Amino acid sequence: MAVLPAMDCVFCQLMGEGTAHWVAREAEACAFAPLNPLAPGHTLVVPTSHYAGVFDTPPDVLARSMTLVQRVAAAMRTTLGATGVNILSASGPGSEQSVPHLHFHVVPRWEDDGISTWPAGVSSHRPTSDPHAQLADALR
């Protein structure tokens, strides 16, 4: 079931107004240029229906969004000569999600391009038991 656009969501507004710098527009997902790109060709991929994050996005919508992420990444390699890409996303409180609409940053990369999108530090959160064992139990 598709979720109607959220009128207070900047991405839903862009899609409704058609004012973005579009890279691709498809039924389930679209791609456009961000306002402040990290690198030449940096692109945002979002589902066309409003879902706040990965936790509430139906698997089929998530799969179609990731298919567009993959197509954008391939185009960055063949068209822009990128030697790699970073795919970045944040979902939920505590993740530094900037817009509450699921989105993926697809950032083209070149060797020695001068940026780093990898975290520089580690979490200060200290669990009381083995988190990987807990995850394994939850996924059984």
Side-chain angles (χ1 to χ4, degrees), residues 47-62:
T48 56
S49 295
H50 183 83
Y51 298 101
V54 70
F55 302 109
D56 66 333
T57 304
D60 63 317
V61 174
L62 187 58

Side-chain angles (χ1 to χ4, degrees), residues 15-42:
M15 288 182 282
E17 297 167 358
T19 55
H21 184 172
W22 299 106
V23 173
R25 292 190 83 171
E26 299 178 353
E28 296 276 347
C30 62
F32 54 91
L35 293 177
N36 299 302
L38 296 173
H42 174 182

Side-chain angles (χ1 to χ4, degrees), residues 2 6 15 18 23 39 46-47 50 53-54 56 68 83 87-88 91 99 108 111 114 119 133-134 138-140:
M15 288 182 282
V23 173
V46 305
H50 183 83
V54 70
D56 66 333
L68 183 53
T83 56
I87 299 165
L88 310 167
S91 285
V99 176
E111 290 185 38
Q134 290 176 294
L139 293 172
R140 284 191 185 104

Side-chain angles (χ1 to χ4, degrees), residues 6 13-14 17 31 33-34 36 50 52-53 59 63 71 73-74 83 87 90 103 105 113 117 121 128-130 139:
Q13 290 172 4
L14 284 172
E17 297 167 358
N36 299 302
H50 183 83
R71 290 181 50 229
T83 56
I87 299 165
H103 59 286
H105 294 261
D113 62 8
T117 55
T128 57
S129 61
D130 180 355
L139 293 172

Side-chain angles (χ1 to χ4, degrees), residues 51-99:
Y51 298 101
V54 70
F55 302 109
D56 66 333
T57 304
D60 63 317
V61 174
L62 187 58
R64 287 186 185 96
S65 297
M66 289 308 295
T67 297
L68 183 53
V69 165
Q70 185 179 44
R71 290 181 50 229
V72 168
M76 289 173 172
R77 183 170 53 183
T78 60
T79 304
L80 304 179
T83 56
V85 297
N86 287 120
I87 299 165
L88 310 167
S89 185
S91 285
S95 71
E96 299 181 22
Q97 183 176 8
S98 59
V99 176

